Amino acid sequence: MESFIGGKLLDAASSKLSDIISDVITDVLTKTWYFKSLLTEIKETMKKIKEKRDLRKKESNKFIDLIKEAEELIRECEQMKSINLWKRYRHAKKLDELNKSLSAFVEQFPKKTSSGWSSGVPLPDGDVIGFEDRVNDLKRMVLKESIVVVSAAGGFGKTTLVTMLCHDREIKEQFGRIYFVTISRTPDLKVIVARLLQKNHQGQLNFNSDEDATHQWGSFLNENISEEILLVLDDVWSDSIVKNFKFKSPRYRILVTSRFIFTQFKTYELQPLKDQHATKLFRSSSLSENESEKNDARNDLVDKLVKCCKNHPLVLSVIGGSLKGKTFKRWQKLFRELSKRKHDVWDQHDLILNSLEKTLHQLDQPVIKECFMDLGSFPEDQKIAATALMDMWVHLYKHDEEGLATQDILSELSFRNLATLLPVRQHIPTVTYHCEEEAVMQHDLMRTLAIQLSSKEPVELRERLIINPGEPNLPQVPETVNARLLSISTDERNSSIWNNIKVPKVEIFVLNFLSMTHPLPQFMHNLDKLKVLIITNYGFRFSELENFPAAQHLSCLTTIRLDHISISSIITSILELENLQKLSLIMCKIGDSFNERTVVNHSKLSSLLELDIDSCDDLFMFPEMLSNLVCLTKLSITNCHELTSLSEGFGNLTNLDVLRLASCSNLTTLPRSFKNLEKLKILDISDCLKLEKLPAEIGKLGCLRTIHMRGCMGLKELPPSVNDLCLEEVVCDTEVSLLWSSDHPDVKLREVEEDKLGTLMKIIAS
């Protein structure tokens, strides 16, 4: 086989240095565990080299020569056996010397060449129009002033502007660290500081008070006084938040976005787009690539519509998006509606919302408008998992349970600029649901519109009731509410105004909160028609739920989704839900919740069809009790990096149709009883890095048609029984494909590009 360094490094003159580094380190670490700590140190040194910019040719050649000399040494790690302790000791010393040589290479570059380190900075939008000069103007202010506020009305592009600034080359070279955090209308200072410091702190962050949180941030700045730090506070509603983060330090800058002008700080007032940029944005939003721009009538209408939009970026993109693909008569109709209201002052909130509302009349399907309004059930500035929306829409609008309709709705909302689909990780297969990896965000102005549209009826008659305590214009909640969908978003300052209301018709309840412990409202003990329960803790720490109803009060409940919840105190009630069909535990604390001794004499989810466990870091072994879920057809255990094994009882899940074990990076084996899963059609073991072999009798899975196994670096051979499988497709990367193509040429292989950097991160985290 061609030398990895010789074939990859020397022929990669045009490749980025970061790609070369990722290839080398990942290739070694995926096969080497005895020297993990030393190789991790080398990886950190490589990371520092990666941050260096503009290497001269001589320096790049020196680095390549250094890596070439080290290739043989690193490759020998793969062959080192645990019984040869003396060789391992000598090899460890050689690796240490290698790290010192690489570190010496790092030290020859001045710090100024660093590309910077950032936390929480979003990716810039793909095509931003008219912001280049604005970035340069703002950059000059930020490099000069200690605090700068970018001020403008909602939808003017404040977040877009500061995001572009954070990705500016000169800014990244100037600031060693860039922190980006969204504040929103009802901020929790302790949560904000915890999010800022979480990547610099091991374990839980606990603050006694807001003052303690502020003090901890100041201490962090003092400990890193030698580094230039830029803190971005996005969507600030009160200057008191800025004051909490204000510390005197020559290497510390604060950049704020706000709808308000804080006179005590330097302000950059963001203006509407210039005419040519506004027209270009509207055209890009409203006209397809194959549409002719020679249509004089439509071109004239474009100019008139741009004037109606007053060069407001969000209004331009949303109204333009609503017209894409529509007839000329629809264009004319919308122009007539928009031109009826002639106001000179455009920054009035209701005028913007009124114009945006008119775009919803352009939607061909009424259900899309309903789904748009449903997005308002989730907090502002938070990503919304597509699967959470799917759980709602399967019940409300009879969407298919595979997520295809949900994916179509979100694509349409994104196409019309009514919501933003977040980037999906590359090469992640669709296994359980079509939308399983997708998430969406809604601009706070669009969320306001969604809530406003949901609030046109008197509160007691609304189909959808959204309560946001702490916000202005909170409706007076009557004694009885007839909504089908109820959403409450709150924080540690819990309000009890809704605690004893009557909600006899609620079928979907969405609860969003920020607190370590959260008492559920008393009305949950009378939700006789509740079908879907979605509870999300947006705080930094796991939350304990109090006052969870007994199973007899939730007899119709079919779907539960819990996010960032400690489930030990509520598991007894959940296990007694005889009609529960789907349970999702996302980033939850499981503990010993499924211990047989704690759940004896309970029904144990006798009707459960789907179980989704994602990113639960304290799941070490698949609970034996869950092996009794004989009705289960879909089981997904993903990103559970501490999971090491599955019990032999796992083979009792004989009705499984889909099994996902993706990114369980410490899972080493599959049980022999795996052969009993005779109805299994789809198996996903992608990125199970330590999985060394497939079950010897896997050939007995007569219904198995698809295996996803990208990133299974530990596999060295396949059992002979795979010849007995009737596989239709194996999805894998190049290395795994070699195992199949050599001995099993008839299997249809679909190779996907290996995500080496992503794999590397999983190895280091495991």
Side-chain angles (χ1 to χ4, degrees), residues 663-695:
S663 296
C664 293
S665 54
N666 275 309
L667 183 65
T668 56
T669 59
L670 299 176
R672 291 185 59 190
S673 62
F674 205 78
K675 64 183 180 182
N676 298 333
L677 308 182
E678 296 181 355
K679 295 183 180 180
L680 190 66
K681 295 179 181 178
I682 300 175
L683 172 64
D684 181 9
I685 51 175
S686 302
D687 293 315
C688 288
L689 305 175
K690 289 188 179 181
L691 189 62
E692 298 175 351
K693 58 183 179 180
L694 298 179

Side-chain angles (χ1 to χ4, degrees), residues 467 477-479 488 494-503 519-526 547:
I467 301 175
V477 182
E479 182 179 349
I488 297 177
N494 295 313
S495 175
S496 59
I497 60 173
W498 59 81
N499 199 41
N500 293 309
I501 62 174
K502 297 177 181 178
V503 284
L520 299 179
Q522 188 62 29
F523 66 68
M524 280 197 65
H525 294 263
N526 297 290
N547 197 35

